[in-house]
Amino acid sequence: MHLSWAPDEDQALALAHDQWRTNVHTPPVSWDLDNVELFDIVSEHITPEQVAGTVNVSSDLGRHTAWLQESADLGFDTVMLHHVGREQSLFIDTFGAEVLPRLDVTRPLPATAKEYRCV
């Protein structure tokens, strides 16, 4: 899950735009770019709002918790968090202390077909 968090909403959006605007392109555009300069050219007019369409951007830790909980509720047993910003220490410390402990991921696992096998 791509995300951008900062203590301030404008900062979180600016961070996502700065670091992730070259990654919003879908195929075939993304397949045909073979150097950094081309990524910069095609991303020149990408807006922060367009980036927010592909990255979960918020300064609200509760909102990030809700996004992660939605994935857990869908049944994912693993969700990888990718903070698009360069400053990882504050992100790791904050999410470790404030977001991850709030997730309800202790539900029982669903029954498997093997458990229902008729003998």
Side-chain angles (χ1 to χ4, degrees), residues 17-57:
H17 185 251
D18 179 59
Q19 293 295 309
W20 205 248
R21 71 178 172 268
T22 59
N23 295 295
V24 300
H25 306 290
T26 59
V29 172
S30 58
W31 295 341
D32 294 336
L33 303 175
D34 62 359
N35 63 59
V36 174
E37 290 79 20
L38 289 177
F39 273 96
D40 287 340
I41 290 168
V42 299
S43 302
E44 189 173 75
H45 300 291
I46 297 296
T47 67
E49 292 73 26
Q50 287 173 296
V51 175
T54 61
V55 176
N56 291 331
V57 178

Tab-separated table of all heavy atoms in Angstrom, residues 17-57:
chain	number	residue	atom	x	y	z
A	17	HIS	N	3.509	14.235	-3.961
A	17	HIS	CA	3.677	14.790	-5.305
A	17	HIS	C	5.140	14.829	-5.702
A	17	HIS	O	5.507	14.453	-6.814
A	17	HIS	CB	3.063	16.194	-5.372
A	17	HIS	CG	3.099	16.777	-6.733
A	17	HIS	ND1	3.935	17.823	-7.058
A	17	HIS	CD2	2.414	16.465	-7.858
A	17	HIS	CE1	3.751	18.121	-8.341
A	17	HIS	NE2	2.840	17.320	-8.840
A	18	ASP	N	5.990	15.229	-4.806
A	18	ASP	CA	7.417	15.314	-5.094
A	18	ASP	C	8.027	13.944	-5.368
A	18	ASP	O	8.809	13.771	-6.302
A	18	ASP	CB	8.154	15.983	-3.932
A	18	ASP	CG	9.643	16.071	-4.171
A	18	ASP	OD1	10.038	16.693	-5.182
A	18	ASP	OD2	10.413	15.514	-3.372
A	19	GLN	N	7.658	12.962	-4.582
A	19	GLN	CA	8.313	11.660	-4.646
A	19	GLN	C	7.607	10.635	-5.537
A	19	GLN	O	8.218	9.638	-5.914
A	19	GLN	CB	8.436	11.067	-3.233
A	19	GLN	CG	9.369	11.840	-2.345
A	19	GLN	CD	10.798	11.783	-2.850
A	19	GLN	OE1	11.342	10.718	-3.119
A	19	GLN	NE2	11.426	12.933	-3.000
A	20	TRP	N	6.324	10.833	-5.856
A	20	TRP	CA	5.581	9.751	-6.506
A	20	TRP	C	4.912	10.150	-7.813
A	20	TRP	O	4.281	9.329	-8.472
A	20	TRP	CB	4.558	9.182	-5.522
A	20	TRP	CG	4.195	7.773	-5.824
A	20	TRP	CD1	2.978	7.327	-6.264
A	20	TRP	CD2	5.021	6.609	-5.744
A	20	TRP	NE1	3.005	5.970	-6.460
A	20	TRP	CE2	4.260	5.505	-6.145
A	20	TRP	CE3	6.354	6.402	-5.383
A	20	TRP	CZ2	4.764	4.214	-6.185
A	20	TRP	CZ3	6.855	5.111	-5.418
A	20	TRP	CH2	6.064	4.034	-5.807
A	21	ARG	N	5.021	11.393	-8.245
A	21	ARG	CA	4.292	11.823	-9.448
A	21	ARG	C	4.743	11.103	-10.711
A	21	ARG	O	4.005	11.034	-11.683
A	21	ARG	CB	4.362	13.335	-9.626
A	21	ARG	CG	5.699	13.880	-10.026
A	21	ARG	CD	5.630	15.396	-10.229
A	21	ARG	NE	6.940	15.946	-10.435
A	21	ARG	CZ	7.720	16.414	-9.470
A	21	ARG	NH1	7.295	16.409	-8.224
A	21	ARG	NH2	8.907	16.881	-9.745
A	22	THR	N	5.938	10.564	-10.726
A	22	THR	CA	6.399	9.821	-11.911
A	22	THR	C	5.848	8.402	-11.942
A	22	THR	O	6.090	7.667	-12.897
A	22	THR	CB	7.939	9.761	-11.963
A	22	THR	OG1	8.411	9.119	-10.786
A	22	THR	CG2	8.542	11.147	-12.090
A	23	ASN	N	5.096	8.025	-10.924
A	23	ASN	CA	4.607	6.645	-10.830
A	23	ASN	C	3.103	6.513	-11.007
A	23	ASN	O	2.541	5.478	-10.675
A	23	ASN	CB	5.013	6.058	-9.478
A	23	ASN	CG	6.510	5.952	-9.368
A	23	ASN	OD1	7.140	5.209	-10.086
A	23	ASN	ND2	7.088	6.742	-8.473
A	24	VAL	N	2.448	7.523	-11.513
A	24	VAL	CA	0.992	7.454	-11.686
A	24	VAL	C	0.592	6.996	-13.086
A	24	VAL	O	-0.583	6.791	-13.344
A	24	VAL	CB	0.310	8.808	-11.365
A	24	VAL	CG1	0.579	9.228	-9.941
A	24	VAL	CG2	0.745	9.885	-12.337
A	25	HIS	N	1.530	6.815	-13.960
A	25	HIS	CA	1.229	6.464	-15.345
A	25	HIS	C	0.909	4.975	-15.475
A	25	HIS	O	1.573	4.128	-14.895
A	25	HIS	CB	2.403	6.820	-16.255
A	25	HIS	CG	2.818	8.243	-16.104
A	25	HIS	ND1	2.046	9.292	-16.540
A	25	HIS	CD2	3.904	8.795	-15.531
A	25	HIS	CE1	2.642	10.420	-16.264
A	25	HIS	NE2	3.772	10.150	-15.639
A	26	THR	N	-0.094	4.695	-16.269
A	26	THR	CA	-0.479	3.310	-16.528
A	26	THR	C	0.164	2.835	-17.821
A	26	THR	O	0.625	3.643	-18.630
A	26	THR	CB	-2.010	3.203	-16.638
A	26	THR	OG1	-2.457	4.061	-17.698
A	26	THR	CG2	-2.685	3.607	-15.336
A	27	PRO	N	0.179	1.552	-18.018
A	27	PRO	CA	0.671	1.034	-19.295
A	27	PRO	C	-0.221	1.529	-20.437
A	27	PRO	O	-1.403	1.750	-20.217
A	27	PRO	CB	0.542	-0.478	-19.142
A	27	PRO	CG	0.494	-0.710	-17.659
A	27	PRO	CD	-0.152	0.503	-17.082
A	28	PRO	N	0.294	1.753	-21.584
A	28	PRO	CA	1.640	1.433	-22.055
A	28	PRO	C	2.661	2.529	-21.783
A	28	PRO	O	3.845	2.317	-22.010
A	28	PRO	CB	1.452	1.249	-23.559
A	28	PRO	CG	0.368	2.197	-23.910
A	28	PRO	CD	-0.555	2.195	-22.704
A	29	VAL	N	2.218	3.706	-21.282
A	29	VAL	CA	3.163	4.802	-21.044
A	29	VAL	C	4.307	4.340	-20.149
A	29	VAL	O	5.479	4.525	-20.476
A	29	VAL	CB	2.458	6.030	-20.433
A	29	VAL	CG1	3.472	7.083	-20.000
A	29	VAL	CG2	1.459	6.615	-21.411
A	30	SER	N	3.986	3.720	-19.039
A	30	SER	CA	5.023	3.324	-18.083
A	30	SER	C	5.963	2.262	-18.664
A	30	SER	O	7.111	2.159	-18.247
A	30	SER	CB	4.389	2.825	-16.788
A	30	SER	OG	3.528	1.735	-17.042
A	31	TRP	N	5.505	1.486	-19.607
A	31	TRP	CA	6.353	0.462	-20.221
A	31	TRP	C	7.346	1.049	-21.211
A	31	TRP	O	8.401	0.474	-21.460
A	31	TRP	CB	5.503	-0.559	-20.966
A	31	TRP	CG	4.596	-1.385	-20.119
A	31	TRP	CD1	4.684	-1.598	-18.770
A	31	TRP	CD2	3.445	-2.092	-20.562
A	31	TRP	NE1	3.663	-2.396	-18.347
A	31	TRP	CE2	2.877	-2.713	-19.435
A	31	TRP	CE3	2.819	-2.247	-21.787
A	31	TRP	CZ2	1.736	-3.500	-19.501
A	31	TRP	CZ3	1.690	-3.037	-21.856
A	31	TRP	CH2	1.157	-3.652	-20.723
A	32	ASP	N	6.976	2.170	-21.813
A	32	ASP	CA	7.769	2.722	-22.906
A	32	ASP	C	8.808	3.755	-22.478
A	32	ASP	O	9.562	4.244	-23.312
A	32	ASP	CB	6.842	3.345	-23.953
A	32	ASP	CG	5.983	2.291	-24.651
A	32	ASP	OD1	6.393	1.118	-24.682
A	32	ASP	OD2	4.896	2.652	-25.139
A	33	LEU	N	8.843	4.093	-21.210
A	33	LEU	CA	9.804	5.083	-20.729
A	33	LEU	C	11.072	4.374	-20.301
A	33	LEU	O	11.040	3.506	-19.434
A	33	LEU	CB	9.209	5.882	-19.574
A	33	LEU	CG	7.897	6.602	-19.882
A	33	LEU	CD1	7.350	7.262	-18.634
A	33	LEU	CD2	8.077	7.598	-21.006
A	34	ASP	N	12.176	4.751	-20.905
A	34	ASP	CA	13.406	4.012	-20.620
A	34	ASP	C	14.494	4.831	-19.927
A	34	ASP	O	15.608	4.356	-19.754
A	34	ASP	CB	13.956	3.385	-21.897
A	34	ASP	CG	14.341	4.409	-22.954
A	34	ASP	OD1	14.169	5.622	-22.706
A	34	ASP	OD2	14.815	3.996	-24.027
A	35	ASN	N	14.157	6.078	-19.510
A	35	ASN	CA	15.157	6.833	-18.756
A	35	ASN	C	14.459	7.863	-17.855
A	35	ASN	O	13.277	8.174	-18.031
A	35	ASN	CB	16.191	7.482	-19.681
A	35	ASN	CG	15.582	8.495	-20.617
A	35	ASN	OD1	14.983	9.469	-20.173
A	35	ASN	ND2	15.741	8.274	-21.925
A	36	VAL	N	15.192	8.349	-16.905
A	36	VAL	CA	14.672	9.279	-15.906
A	36	VAL	C	14.128	10.546	-16.545
A	36	VAL	O	13.073	11.053	-16.139
A	36	VAL	CB	15.781	9.614	-14.882
A	36	VAL	CG1	15.331	10.682	-13.916
A	36	VAL	CG2	16.224	8.365	-14.146
A	37	GLU	N	14.807	11.043	-17.539
A	37	GLU	CA	14.373	12.276	-18.187
A	37	GLU	C	12.976	12.141	-18.780
A	37	GLU	O	12.155	13.059	-18.693
A	37	GLU	CB	15.370	12.707	-19.273
A	37	GLU	CG	16.701	13.189	-18.730
A	37	GLU	CD	17.642	12.043	-18.309
A	37	GLU	OE1	17.448	10.881	-18.767
A	37	GLU	OE2	18.555	12.311	-17.515
A	38	LEU	N	12.668	10.996	-19.379
A	38	LEU	CA	11.336	10.790	-19.958
A	38	LEU	C	10.264	10.730	-18.872
A	38	LEU	O	9.162	11.249	-19.046
A	38	LEU	CB	11.314	9.528	-20.820
A	38	LEU	CG	12.079	9.618	-22.128
A	38	LEU	CD1	12.057	8.286	-22.867
A	38	LEU	CD2	11.535	10.729	-23.010
A	39	PHE	N	10.567	10.093	-17.755
A	39	PHE	CA	9.615	10.076	-16.645
A	39	PHE	C	9.336	11.500	-16.169
A	39	PHE	O	8.200	11.863	-15.885
A	39	PHE	CB	10.127	9.223	-15.477
A	39	PHE	CG	9.787	7.774	-15.602
A	39	PHE	CD1	10.689	6.872	-16.136
A	39	PHE	CD2	8.554	7.300	-15.172
A	39	PHE	CE1	10.379	5.527	-16.252
A	39	PHE	CE2	8.228	5.969	-15.273
A	39	PHE	CZ	9.146	5.076	-15.828
A	40	ASP	N	10.379	12.319	-16.078
A	40	ASP	CA	10.201	13.720	-15.669
A	40	ASP	C	9.333	14.485	-16.666
A	40	ASP	O	8.461	15.257	-16.270
A	40	ASP	CB	11.561	14.410	-15.515
A	40	ASP	CG	12.312	13.963	-14.278
A	40	ASP	OD1	11.665	13.433	-13.345
A	40	ASP	OD2	13.543	14.140	-14.238
A	41	ILE	N	9.544	14.244	-17.951
A	41	ILE	CA	8.780	14.958	-18.978
A	41	ILE	C	7.298	14.586	-18.918
A	41	ILE	O	6.431	15.461	-18.914
A	41	ILE	CB	9.370	14.695	-20.383
A	41	ILE	CG1	10.727	15.383	-20.515
A	41	ILE	CG2	8.405	15.159	-21.471
A	41	ILE	CD1	11.523	14.953	-21.726
A	42	VAL	N	6.985	13.301	-18.861
A	42	VAL	CA	5.569	12.905	-18.858
A	42	VAL	C	4.886	13.215	-17.529
A	42	VAL	O	3.657	13.239	-17.463
A	42	VAL	CB	5.365	11.421	-19.231
A	42	VAL	CG1	5.887	11.133	-20.623
A	42	VAL	CG2	5.957	10.494	-18.202
A	43	SER	N	5.654	13.485	-16.494
A	43	SER	CA	5.086	13.790	-15.190
A	43	SER	C	5.029	15.278	-14.888
A	43	SER	O	4.564	15.687	-13.822
A	43	SER	CB	5.908	13.090	-14.100
A	43	SER	OG	5.909	11.704	-14.335
A	44	GLU	N	5.472	16.069	-15.828
A	44	GLU	CA	5.572	17.510	-15.636
A	44	GLU	C	4.248	18.168	-15.238
A	44	GLU	O	4.221	19.093	-14.443
A	44	GLU	CB	6.095	18.124	-16.935
A	44	GLU	CG	6.467	19.560	-16.864
A	44	GLU	CD	7.133	19.987	-18.163
A	44	GLU	OE1	6.418	20.162	-19.172
A	44	GLU	OE2	8.375	20.111	-18.148
A	45	HIS	N	3.140	17.678	-15.757
A	45	HIS	CA	1.845	18.307	-15.500
A	45	HIS	C	0.959	17.495	-14.557
A	45	HIS	O	-0.234	17.760	-14.453
A	45	HIS	CB	1.124	18.568	-16.817
A	45	HIS	CG	1.903	19.480	-17.715
A	45	HIS	ND1	2.093	20.820	-17.443
A	45	HIS	CD2	2.588	19.234	-18.864
A	45	HIS	CE1	2.837	21.365	-18.387
A	45	HIS	NE2	3.162	20.419	-19.256
A	46	ILE	N	1.531	16.527	-13.887
A	46	ILE	CA	0.772	15.730	-12.916
A	46	ILE	C	0.526	16.600	-11.685
A	46	ILE	O	1.442	17.198	-11.132
A	46	ILE	CB	1.550	14.448	-12.519
A	46	ILE	CG1	1.743	13.534	-13.729
A	46	ILE	CG2	0.855	13.721	-11.388
A	46	ILE	CD1	0.466	12.985	-14.315
A	47	THR	N	-0.709	16.649	-11.250
A	47	THR	CA	-1.075	17.474	-10.095
A	47	THR	C	-0.984	16.668	-8.804
A	47	THR	O	-1.031	15.428	-8.835
A	47	THR	CB	-2.517	17.992	-10.241
A	47	THR	OG1	-3.414	16.866	-10.170
A	47	THR	CG2	-2.708	18.758	-11.540
A	48	PRO	N	-0.890	17.346	-7.681
A	48	PRO	CA	-0.917	16.638	-6.399
A	48	PRO	C	-2.190	15.802	-6.239
A	48	PRO	O	-2.149	14.690	-5.697
A	48	PRO	CB	-0.853	17.764	-5.364
A	48	PRO	CG	-0.127	18.865	-6.072
A	48	PRO	CD	-0.602	18.773	-7.508
A	49	GLU	N	-3.309	16.293	-6.743
A	49	GLU	CA	-4.570	15.559	-6.627
A	49	GLU	C	-4.540	14.262	-7.435
A	49	GLU	O	-5.109	13.255	-7.019
A	49	GLU	CB	-5.741	16.446	-7.076
A	49	GLU	CG	-6.012	17.622	-6.146
A	49	GLU	CD	-4.961	18.740	-6.235
A	49	GLU	OE1	-4.309	18.887	-7.292
A	49	GLU	OE2	-4.787	19.456	-5.225
A	50	GLN	N	-3.863	14.274	-8.579
A	50	GLN	CA	-3.717	13.042	-9.360
A	50	GLN	C	-2.880	12.019	-8.599
A	50	GLN	O	-3.184	10.832	-8.622
A	50	GLN	CB	-3.092	13.340	-10.719
A	50	GLN	CG	-4.027	14.039	-11.673
A	50	GLN	CD	-3.310	14.461	-12.938
A	50	GLN	OE1	-2.403	15.299	-12.904
A	50	GLN	NE2	-3.715	13.884	-14.061
A	51	VAL	N	-1.843	12.479	-7.939
A	51	VAL	CA	-1.006	11.577	-7.140
A	51	VAL	C	-1.832	10.981	-5.993
A	51	VAL	O	-1.743	9.794	-5.706
A	51	VAL	CB	0.247	12.294	-6.604
A	51	VAL	CG1	1.035	11.386	-5.673
A	51	VAL	CG2	1.122	12.773	-7.751
A	52	ALA	N	-2.669	11.817	-5.387
A	52	ALA	CA	-3.510	11.335	-4.281
A	52	ALA	C	-4.502	10.276	-4.745
A	52	ALA	O	-5.064	9.554	-3.916
A	52	ALA	CB	-4.237	12.506	-3.632
A	53	GLY	N	-4.696	10.137	-6.039
A	53	GLY	CA	-5.537	9.069	-6.567
A	53	GLY	C	-4.848	7.717	-6.571
A	53	GLY	O	-5.507	6.683	-6.719
A	54	THR	N	-3.524	7.699	-6.410
A	54	THR	CA	-2.782	6.435	-6.417
A	54	THR	C	-2.021	6.180	-5.119
A	54	THR	O	-1.464	5.104	-4.930
A	54	THR	CB	-1.774	6.391	-7.586
A	54	THR	OG1	-0.837	7.444	-7.435
A	54	THR	CG2	-2.475	6.517	-8.922
A	55	VAL	N	-1.981	7.194	-4.254
A	55	VAL	CA	-1.280	7.092	-2.975
A	55	VAL	C	-2.256	7.523	-1.883
A	55	VAL	O	-2.948	8.523	-2.033
A	55	VAL	CB	-0.038	8.025	-2.937
A	55	VAL	CG1	0.637	7.996	-1.575
A	55	VAL	CG2	0.957	7.653	-4.025
A	56	ASN	N	-2.326	6.777	-0.803
A	56	ASN	CA	-3.148	7.193	0.338
A	56	ASN	C	-2.416	8.327	1.044
A	56	ASN	O	-1.401	8.105	1.696
A	56	ASN	CB	-3.380	6.035	1.299
A	56	ASN	CG	-4.269	4.967	0.700
A	56	ASN	OD1	-5.119	5.260	-0.127
A	56	ASN	ND2	-4.071	3.739	1.107
A	57	VAL	N	-2.937	9.543	0.898
A	57	VAL	CA	-2.293	10.741	1.438
A	57	VAL	C	-3.145	11.311	2.562
A	57	VAL	O	-4.318	11.612	2.373
A	57	VAL	CB	-2.123	11.822	0.348
A	57	VAL	CG1	-1.499	13.074	0.932
A	57	VAL	CG2	-1.302	11.294	-0.817
